[in-house]
């Protein structure tokens, strides 16, 4: 497969952001030769650990993937120095993380990893003037906002916000479908009396009480009797508050990669594609270390660096 250039990587990053997928962008900002990674090389690392682009060879890639997934899990960027500590000595600035790697080329890389939080996703079901205003306002904040006239919520995820503003036209069905999609927020634009009637109907249909308790009704901050534009502002304000109250919303559920220590070179690597020996699994940074281990597993198994 051809390696995407920097422009291709950025185009893929834009597409992932438009789809609402979390990812990390890794960029080589410094190198010490010999190294296959060059300044300006970029790669995307998805939440699943897939690397798209080019950062460096077999020594650098597993480390960057591991650190990128950790950055995604924490929602914080990081600057890495990949090499042996004696290459940098006391000159390593505060805030940088030195990750020793035992690369035969003896090169080194400095890589900046930035977790990218996709834009919040808002789905508004309905066709009233308030609905159009709410979608427009959310878009001005950079949210991915879409309007649906029917509750077809195939694109809703656990990070989405759903507002039902169907004004008596299949409210019950819309709320039930929204709850089934398990989004971060479900709001119903209705009077308190109407909302209680909708939730009561759904309770009679067997919708669990804990699910019904997730429905915000009436949706939006209570501003009293206001215009449809002001109602849209009140709802958006509540959504912004709800999003701010959630910890690292777009990165929630991104788990760090399980780790192991390469028994040959001592690098910390993802615990994947393990070689089994005497009931234990061993993972490697590259095919060279794997081949070295297989030549005499007993020598390296004694290091007790088992995954």
């Amino acid at each position: 497969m051809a390696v995407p250039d920097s422009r291709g990587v950025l185009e893929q990053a834009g597409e992932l952001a438009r789809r609402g997928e979390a990812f990390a962008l890794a960029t080589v900002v410094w190198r010490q030769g010999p190294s296959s990674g060059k300044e300006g090389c970029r790669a995307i690392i998805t939440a699943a650990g897939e690397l798209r682009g080019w950062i460096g060879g077999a020594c650098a890639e597993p480390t960057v993937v591991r650190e990128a997934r950790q950055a995604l899990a924490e929602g914080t960027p990081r600057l890495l120095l990949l090499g042996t500590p004696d290459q940098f000595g006391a000159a390593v600035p505060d805030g940088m993380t030195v990750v020793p790697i035992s690369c035969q080329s003896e090169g080194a890389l400095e890589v900046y990893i930035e977790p990218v939080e996709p834009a919040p996703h808002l789905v508004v079901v309905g066709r009233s003037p308030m609905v159009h205003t709410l979608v427009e306002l959310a878009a001005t904040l950079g949210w991915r906002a879409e309007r649906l006239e029917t509750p077809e919520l195939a694109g809703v995820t656990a990070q989405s916000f759903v507002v039902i503003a169907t004004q008596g036209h299949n409210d019950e069905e819309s709320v039930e479908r929204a709850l089934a999609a398990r989004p971060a927020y479900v709001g119903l634009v209705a009077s308190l009396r109407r909302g209680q009637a909708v939730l009561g109907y759904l309770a009679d249909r067997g919708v669990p009480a804990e699910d019904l308790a997730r429905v915000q009704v009436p949706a939006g901050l209570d501003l009293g009797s206001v215009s449809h534009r002001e109602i849209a502002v009140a709802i958006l304000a509540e959504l912004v508050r709800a999003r701010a109250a959630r910890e690292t919303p777009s990165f929630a559920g991104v788990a760090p990669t399980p780790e192991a220590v390469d028994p040959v070179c001592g690098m910390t690597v993802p615990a994947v594609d393990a070689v089994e020996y005497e009931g234990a699994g061993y993972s490697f940074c590259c095919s060279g270390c794997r081949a070295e281990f297989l030549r005499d597993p007993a020598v390296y198994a004694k290091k007790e660096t088992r995954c």
Side-chain angles (χ1 to χ4, degrees):
M1 182 178 67
V3 176
D5 58 16
S6 290
R7 177 180 296 180
V9 169
L10 294 177
E11 289 174 350
Q12 290 187 34
E15 180 59 30
L16 287 174
R18 283 189 291 274
R19 295 206 303 260
E21 297 184 26
F23 64 94
L25 182 63
T27 305
V28 176
V29 295
W30 173 85
R31 69 182 287 269
Q32 175 179 292
S35 172
S36 57
K38 310 294 183 185
E39 289 91 343
C41 284
R42 290 190 175 99
I44 292 167
I45 298 89
T46 67
E50 178 187 1
L51 185 144
R52 306 175 188 175
W54 181 255
I55 286 295
C59 291
E61 280 195 5
T63 299
V64 170
V65 169
R66 182 186 76 244
E67 294 290 334
R69 296 198 74 210
Q70 186 65 42
L72 278 171
E74 297 175 359
T76 55
R78 58 192 60 196
L79 184 60
L80 308 179
L81 289 172
L82 307 181
T84 57
D86 58 355
Q87 288 175 297
F88 308 106
V92 179
D94 291 340
M96 290 186 178
T97 301
V98 178
V99 182
I101 58 175
S102 301
C103 186
Q104 293 180 349
S105 71
E106 298 183 350
L109 293 173
E110 187 175 312
V111 182
Y112 180 67
I113 298 177
E114 178 184 10
V116 179
E117 180 181 352
H121 181 217
L122 171 64
V123 175
V124 188
V125 185
R127 52 190 177 87
S128 69
M130 188 284 299
V131 168
H132 290 271
T133 301
L134 177 56
V135 170
E136 291 171 2
L137 288 174
T140 64
L141 294 183
W143 289 38
R144 290 193 305 122
E146 56 183 307
R147 182 184 67 85
L148 303 176
E149 293 195 9
T150 57
E152 300 298 331
L153 304 175
V156 170
T157 71
Q159 308 302 330
S160 301
F161 298 82
V162 179
V163 175
I164 307 299
T166 41
Q167 294 185 308
H169 299 283
N170 301 314
D171 291 348
E172 296 83 0
E173 178 188 3
S174 298
V175 171
E176 186 171 16
R177 289 195 180 189
L179 288 172
R182 310 299 298 178
Y185 172 97
V186 179
L188 174 62
V189 181
S191 67
L192 182 59
R193 181 176 179 181
R194 172 60 183 163
Q196 290 174 340
V198 170
L199 298 183
Y201 173 84
L202 294 176
D204 291 341
R205 282 177 53 87
V207 177
E210 58 268 25
D211 288 348
L212 296 176
R214 298 180 58 236
V215 181
Q216 181 65 39
V217 57
L221 303 181
D222 185 5
L223 300 182
S225 179
V226 293
S227 69
H228 78 266
R229 291 184 178 88
E230 292 167 328
I231 292 173
V233 171
I235 294 172
L236 185 56
E238 181 174 80
L239 296 177
V240 171
R241 183 174 65 181
R243 178 172 178 265
R246 303 177 67 225
E247 183 178 359
T248 58
S250 297
F251 305 129
V254 179
T257 307
E259 298 177 352
V261 176
D262 187 323
V264 177
C265 68
M267 280 181 57
T268 301
V269 297
V272 295
D273 300 325
V275 171
E276 294 292 328
Y277 178 72
E278 294 185 348
Y282 297 86
S283 299
F284 307 93
C285 72
C286 62
S287 58
C289 285
R290 180 188 178 97
E292 179 65 23
F293 178 86
L294 292 175
R295 274 194 284 272
D296 193 351
V299 171
Y300 298 102
K302 293 177 181 178
K303 295 184 178 181
E304 298 183 355
T305 53
R306 304 186 179 190
C307 32

